[in-house]
């Protein structure tokens, strides 16, 4: 049936939203390890969440059992046939969001169960999802093609030229999120798997932080981020109470820190996470899992050993990555196994009952949580010159993560005298974000957003090249901050032009 004939009942709204979230879920987490509609084995380790957000950063390096995707990312040598260079999954999701936006408003004339609240909440989620997809597009590829209506007429030209990234932010992303916030039902206990009031505020703050670092950005973007975070604090968490955002007591405690990943629907930190049911979707095969081997990515050695030195103080290290010794003492036996999203603090040989592996577990990738928001707020305050509040929110995370150093019985907060300039404070916040948010798809975007790609990645890429035995060129071409357009995209749309440097 045609689309306008389909959207006739409240159940159709539910199904259309499910289809939109399924598309995004597959793009972020991967297609699982079941079979697709044609009966073919789907690609493992296919999720873009970690590859886009960390695969090119100093968080991830190619693993001992690397694949072509992780190898090219770690050496800043992405080709047009790299799986991560294909933006098709984002446009598939945009198409579904566009379809919802166009057709859901007609449902009430056929079904009186489709109330104004149901329709507005569905539209809010669709506008926000479209904005989130375009936000990934401008961060990964820069300029992109813009579709704000579904392509439903094959007689119309399907090819379009790219729109400048700044224009997409100003004319698509921010208006979409503004519209979504105006439509979403306020003061409701959210479903953490759905885009909700708090998630829209978090997305808007993220966009303004990104915009501030662009050529058309300004100090007012940081203030806008602060404003949207303050709106988020008035929204409700999955526990049914406002986030508040006034102290560390609003966060998970040190002892329950992993609940933000294991049970986000029951966590005071939960804002928006991606649902994944292993019994339906198969393996959530992250690039770094708790498998004994065959993980295509591992924690970069510099980060591993720098963070390990603080292991007894920083409680997150042992909860994030496998640190147990093996007879060989090999780093590669540990650094390719993330534990953050799994119910364990032990290595792959000891975590589960006989016959079970991490491939049999659900994984709930975090899009936004409260600790991320605290550190974002700290940075926004720092950039507006408010170092007092910047330090306050940095210390909420810093103190919560650490054990006291004897003979002290409590953790000593960072003193105000330690970071007395905006630059020093921002560096401290970015370091804390690297530790707190490892595995959450944030680090590469943090480096790009703050203009730190060359400073951080040039020596790291050179080191990787030296170990691999190739010329030590480092991260030379800043045009390559953006991914190339994939061969698939170029074949499908002859009006596209390739990004500079490729």
């Amino acid at each position: 049936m045609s689309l306008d004939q389909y959207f006739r009942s409240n159940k159709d709204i539910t199904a259309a939203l499910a289809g939109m979230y399924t598309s995004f879920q597959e793009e972020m987490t991967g297609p699982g390890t079941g079979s697709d509609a044609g009966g073919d084995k789907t690609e493992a380790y296919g999720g873009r969440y970690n590859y886009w957000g960390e695969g090119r950063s100093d968080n991830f390096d190619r693993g001992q059992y690397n694949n072509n995707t992780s190898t090219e990312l770690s050496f800043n040598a992405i080709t047009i046939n790299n799986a991560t260079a294909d933006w098709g999954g984002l446009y598939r999701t945009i198409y579904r969001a566009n379809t919802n936006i166009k057709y859901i408003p007609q449902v009430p004339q056929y079904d009186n169960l489709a109330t104004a609240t149901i329709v507005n909440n569905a539209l809010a989620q669709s506008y926000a999802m479209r904005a989130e997809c375009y936000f990934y597009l401008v961060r990964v590829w820069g300029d992109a093609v813009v579709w704000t209506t579904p392509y439903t007429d094959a007689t119309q030209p399907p090819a379009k030229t790219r729109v400048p990234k700044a224009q997409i932010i100003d004319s698509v992303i921010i208006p979409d999120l503004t519209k979504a916030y105006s439509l979403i039902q306020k003061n409701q206990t959210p479903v953490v798997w759905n885009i909700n009031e708090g998630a829209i505020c978090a997305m808007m703050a993220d966009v303004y932080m990104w915009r501030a670092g662009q050529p058309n950005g300004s100090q007012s973007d940081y203030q806008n981020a602060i404003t949207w975070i303050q709106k988020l604090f008035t929204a409700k968490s999955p526990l049914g109470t406002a986030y508040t955002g006034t102290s560390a007591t609003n966060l998970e405690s040190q002892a329950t820190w992993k609940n933000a990943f294991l049970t986000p629907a029951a966590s005071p930190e939960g804002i928006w996470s991606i649902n994944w049911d292993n019994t339906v979707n198969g393996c959530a095969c992250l690039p770094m899992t708790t498998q004994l081997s065959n993980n295509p990515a591992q924690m970069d050695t510099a980060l591993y050993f720098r963070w390990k030195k603080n292991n007894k103080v920083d409680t997150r290290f042992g909860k994030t990555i496998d640190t147990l010794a093996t007879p060989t003492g090999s780093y590669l036996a540990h650094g390719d196994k993330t534990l953050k999203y799994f119910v364990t603090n032990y290595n792959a040989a000891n975590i589960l009952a006989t016959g079970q592996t991490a491939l049999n577990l659900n994984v709930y990738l975090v899009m936004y949580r409260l600790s991320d928001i605290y550190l974002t707020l700290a940075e926004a305050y720092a950039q507006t010159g408010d170092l007092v509040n910047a330090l306050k929110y940095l210390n909420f995370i810093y103190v919560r993560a650490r054990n006291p150093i004897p003979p002290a019985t409590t953790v000593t907060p960072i003193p105000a005298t330690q970071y007395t300039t905006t630059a020093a404070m921002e560096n401290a916040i970015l370091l804390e974000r690297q530790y707190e948010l490892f595995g959450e798809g944030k680090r590469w975007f943090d480096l790009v957003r703050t203009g730190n790609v060359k400073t951080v990645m040039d020596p790291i890429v050179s080191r990787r090249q030296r170990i691999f035995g190739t010329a030590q060129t480092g991260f030379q071409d800043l045009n390559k901050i953006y991914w190339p357009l994939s061969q698939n995209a170029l074949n499908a749309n002859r009006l596209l032009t390739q990004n500079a440097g490729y």
Side-chain angles (χ1 to χ4, degrees):
M1 65 178 68
S2 64
L3 285 171
D4 59 340
Q5 291 175 316
Y6 175 78
F7 284 86
R8 298 294 178 92
S9 75
N10 196 42
K11 292 181 179 179
D12 294 338
I13 295 177
T14 301
L17 288 175
M20 180 183 72
Y21 281 113
T22 295
S23 179
F24 187 74
Q25 174 198 57
E26 182 172 323
E27 189 68 357
M28 294 293 106
T29 310
T33 53
S35 295
D36 61 19
D40 297 323
K41 191 77 169 179
T42 52
E43 177 194 3
Y45 307 110
R48 272 54 165 181
Y49 176 92
N50 288 123
Y51 284 131
W52 286 338
E54 291 163 288
R56 300 179 66 190
S57 76
D58 53 340
N59 277 4
F60 281 19
D61 193 3
R62 62 198 295 267
Q64 185 178 19
Y65 300 94
N66 57 80
N67 57 22
N68 183 65
T69 296
S70 61
T71 297
E72 289 187 358
L73 294 179
S74 66
F75 289 114
N76 187 38
I78 310 172
T79 65
I80 60 175
N81 292 312
N82 192 295
T84 65
D86 192 344
W87 62 19
L90 289 172
Y91 280 107
R92 178 190 63 227
T93 310
I94 289 169
Y95 168 79
R96 296 184 186 184
N98 284 339
T99 301
N100 293 350
I101 291 168
K102 180 175 181 178
Y103 291 104
I104 284 177
Q106 76 177 29
V107 174
Q109 64 182 297
Y110 302 103
D111 186 351
N112 57 17
L113 294 178
T115 64
T117 298
I118 289 174
V119 169
N120 286 342
N121 282 337
L123 290 173
Q125 293 172 71
S126 300
Y127 277 111
M129 179 63 81
R130 185 169 73 180
E132 182 69 5
C133 289
Y134 278 116
F135 192 35
Y136 268 106
L137 285 165
V138 299
R139 289 182 296 173
V140 177
W141 289 276
D143 302 345
V145 175
V146 170
W147 289 89
T148 55
T149 57
Y151 181 77
T152 57
D153 185 353
T155 65
Q156 298 301 309
K160 289 186 176 185
T161 58
R162 299 166 76 186
V163 175
K165 53 187 179 291
Q167 183 178 334
I168 295 174
I169 291 174
D170 292 344
S171 64
V172 180
I173 298 175
I174 291 177
D176 271 1
L177 290 174
T178 302
K179 182 73 171 178
Y181 187 74
S182 71
L183 290 170
I184 199 73
Q185 191 176 13
K186 309 299 190 298
N187 200 36
Q188 300 298 300
T189 299
V191 175
V192 78
W193 317 119
N194 294 349
I195 297 172
N196 51 66
E197 180 185 356
I200 294 169
C201 296
M203 293 160 69
M204 190 71 99
D206 205 4
V207 169
Y208 275 115
M209 292 297 289
W210 180 267
R211 191 179 187 278
Q214 303 303 299
N216 64 325
S218 66
Q219 284 294 105
S220 64
D221 291 319
Y222 291 115
Q223 185 56 56
N224 284 332
I226 293 170
T227 298
W228 279 100
I229 290 173
Q230 289 170 340
K231 289 184 179 181
L232 184 153
F233 288 160
T234 67
K236 285 186 177 179
S237 78
L239 301 184
T241 56
Y243 290 106
T244 307
T246 56
S247 71
T249 60
N250 302 125
L251 305 170
E252 289 285 357
S253 69
Q254 184 183 111
T256 62
W257 179 73
K258 285 182 66 169
N259 286 349
F261 321 108
L262 303 178
T263 56
S267 171
E269 286 205 31
I271 297 176
W272 178 28
S273 293
I274 301 174
N275 196 9
W276 187 270
D277 184 346
N278 178 268
T279 63
V280 175
N281 303 105
C283 165
C285 295
L286 308 183
M288 293 174 59
T289 71
T290 57
Q291 288 195 104
L292 287 170
S293 61
N294 299 323
N295 298 318
Q298 65 184 36
M299 184 183 283
D300 186 84
T301 53
L303 173 60
Y304 182 92
F305 289 111
R306 165 166 46 92
W307 201 1
K308 187 176 183 180
K309 285 177 63 177
N310 298 321
N311 186 24
K312 291 182 179 180
V313 176
D314 190 337
T315 62
R316 296 168 298 192
F317 181 67
K319 297 175 182 178
T320 299
I321 198 78
D322 176 20
T323 61
L324 289 190
T326 65
T328 62
S330 169
Y331 157 69
L332 289 173
H334 316 291
D336 64 340
K337 301 178 187 66
T338 183
L339 307 178
K340 191 170 194 175
Y341 290 101
F342 299 95
V343 191
T344 176
N345 287 337
Y346 300 99
N347 66 21
N350 301 313
I351 61 171
L352 297 168
T354 302
Q356 287 189 314
T357 72
L359 307 185
N360 305 124
L361 298 176
N362 297 332
V363 172
Y364 306 126
L365 296 178
V366 173
M367 294 302 297
Y368 293 102
R369 63 184 176 95
L370 199 56
S371 289
D372 175 12
I373 300 304
Y374 272 24
L375 291 171
T376 299
L377 182 58
E379 186 180 347
Y381 276 134
Q383 290 292 348
T384 56
D386 187 349
L387 297 185
V388 172
N389 273 316
L391 183 62
K392 180 177 79 170
Y393 279 93
L394 172 59
N395 265 326
F396 288 154
I397 307 299
Y398 178 91
V399 171
R400 188 267 306 268
R402 287 164 173 80
N403 287 323
I405 301 174
T409 56
T410 59
V411 178
T412 302
I414 301 169
T417 55
Q418 187 162 337
Y419 305 120
T420 57
T421 66
T422 294
M425 184 68 75
E426 181 179 78
N427 287 337
I429 293 166
L430 288 177
L431 180 62
E432 199 64 28
R433 284 180 65 86
Q434 184 177 29
Y435 294 151
E436 178 69 25
L437 305 178
F438 180 90
E440 297 181 48
K442 303 286 184 179
R443 178 62 173 175
W444 173 255
F445 298 133
D446 281 353
L447 294 178
V448 176
R449 176 174 56 77
T450 58
N452 281 305
V453 170
K454 189 170 181 63
T455 301
V456 172
M457 295 309 302
D458 197 62
I460 288 174
V461 173
S462 293
R463 184 203 68 203
R464 294 172 182 172
Q465 292 168 331
R466 173 178 54 80
I467 294 172
F468 193 64
T470 59
Q472 297 176 50
T473 58
F475 200 109
Q476 287 187 327
D477 189 352
L478 289 181
N479 285 316
K480 291 190 175 182
I481 283 176
Y482 294 111
W483 266 248
L485 273 65
S486 71
Q487 187 65 63
N488 288 341
L490 295 171
N491 290 343
N493 184 353
R494 298 296 182 180
L495 297 182
L496 294 178
T497 55
Q498 184 58 272
N499 276 337
Y502 296 100

